[in-house]
Amino acid sequence: MAGIGLFRIFDPKVRRHLISDEGEVVIDEVRHHWVVFAVPMLEVALATVLLAVTLWQTPGAAAVALLAIVLILLGHAFWRFLSEHRDRFVVTNMRVMRIRGVFSQTVATTPIARILDITLQKPITGRFLGYGHFVFESAAQDQGFREIRFVSRPDDRDLTIQRVIQRTGLRASASVDVVQSDDDDDTDDDGTGPIGMDTAQEVTTTIPRQAPAASASTRVASSSSKSIFNSEQANWTDQDRDD
């Protein structure tokens, strides 16, 4: 119980970083898998053995050296425990955050809209023990979101993030933007004219011509034939150029 209370004292207290007045809530708070505590636990076990050996020895230089090693191992193990315990990856309905640090704290945030791609890596040991690594392709790679390692229940966490992205509708709007940009690229430059000229519009654009006089026939020249307007029959007739 004392250990649990001690860890609560060093808890990063994620909810104090939420924008509560804007309705931000925590969707998932990701802690590291227990495998990251394997090395500190081994250090504690080794320190316990050395401490038992020290108690059985007579006081002397060897006992003092062993006691110093015990203290160093315990101190390093405690530091590793706190470092891993305070490293949190948080998913909210607005953004993602990573909070880490023991004495000095670092809080990195990025909106959901900046997450472009997510890669889930599960090594062989991770598939057996139930952990994985997330690799984020986003504009926030320099803020600590590039790789989140040793995530417990990685499949569930991946689905959670995907649901948040889908519910915000960002992927749908991004798809519309991509389609519109592709259309703009096709109409801007199709290789037949200057950039910015809409070729299809240029082809269908006609030059207005004056209304033909009722007492005369109007001739319109073309590359292979000519059209004559018959005022009496009120229609157009095509004749070959040879006529």
Side-chain angles (χ1 to χ4, degrees):
M1 297 299 293
I4 296 176
L6 182 62
F7 276 103
R8 286 182 178 177
I9 294 175
F10 289 98
D11 192 85
K13 297 177 177 58
V14 173
R15 283 167 177 75
R16 68 171 57 178
H17 301 283
L18 299 179
I19 310 175
S20 301
D21 54 347
E22 295 294 335
E24 185 178 19
V25 295
V26 175
I27 303 298
D28 192 10
E29 183 177 345
V30 181
R31 295 176 173 85
H32 283 302
H33 191 266
W34 60 264
V35 74
V36 300
F37 300 104
V39 174
M41 291 173 64
L42 290 176
E43 292 178 345
V44 172
L46 180 58
T48 303
V49 173
L50 293 178
L51 182 61
V53 173
T54 303
L55 295 177
W56 284 99
Q57 284 186 349
T58 58
V64 174
L66 288 176
L67 184 60
I69 295 174
V70 168
L71 294 177
I72 293 173
L73 288 175
L74 291 177
H76 185 264
F78 184 70
W79 177 265
R80 289 289 301 272
F81 268 114
L82 290 182
S83 298
E84 300 296 344
H85 174 71
R86 291 181 60 86
D87 191 353
R88 306 287 177 87
F89 179 71
V90 184
V91 181
T92 73
N93 57 335
M94 298 181 182
R95 53 182 175 158
V96 293
M97 296 185 295
R98 188 178 185 183
I99 304 173
R100 52 183 174 173
V102 178
F103 296 111
S104 60
Q105 190 178 63
T106 301
V107 181
T109 65
T110 187
I112 295 292
R114 300 183 67 181
I115 299 178
L116 305 178
D117 192 13
I118 304 174
T119 302
L120 175 58
Q121 299 176 349
K122 291 190 291 184
I124 296 177
T125 55
R127 298 184 64 181
F128 285 103
L129 299 178
Y131 69 86
H133 312 309
F134 281 95
V135 179
F136 292 89
E137 298 291 341
S138 67
Q141 295 179 4
D142 56 342
Q143 296 183 6
F145 291 104
R146 169 64 181 173
E147 188 174 10
I148 308 297
R149 298 178 58 82
F150 299 105
V151 176
S152 59
R153 295 186 291 111
D155 293 329
D156 296 339
R157 265 55 193 268
D158 182 44
L159 291 176
T160 299
I161 298 174
Q162 300 296 337
R163 289 191 186 98
V164 173
I165 295 176
Q166 291 293 342
R167 288 174 182 175
T168 54
L170 295 173
R171 286 187 174 173
S173 61
S175 301
V176 174
D177 294 339
V178 170
V179 173
Q180 291 179 351
S181 63
D182 292 341
D183 294 339
D184 294 341
D185 294 339
D186 294 338
T187 56
D188 284 345
D189 185 12
D190 58 358
T192 59
I195 297 176
M197 178 183 293
D198 191 347
T199 306
Q201 185 178 0
E202 179 187 358
V203 172
T204 58
T205 302
T206 57
I207 302 175
R209 53 191 176 188
Q210 297 179 355
S215 61
S217 298
T218 303
R219 299 175 181 267
V220 179
S222 64
S223 60
S224 61
S225 64
K226 57 183 179 179
S227 299
I228 301 177
F229 181 80
N230 192 331
S231 60
E232 295 179 356
Q233 298 179 2
N235 59 4
W236 289 85
T237 58
D238 297 334
Q239 295 182 0
D240 295 335
R241 186 178 297 275
D242 295 337
D243 294 341

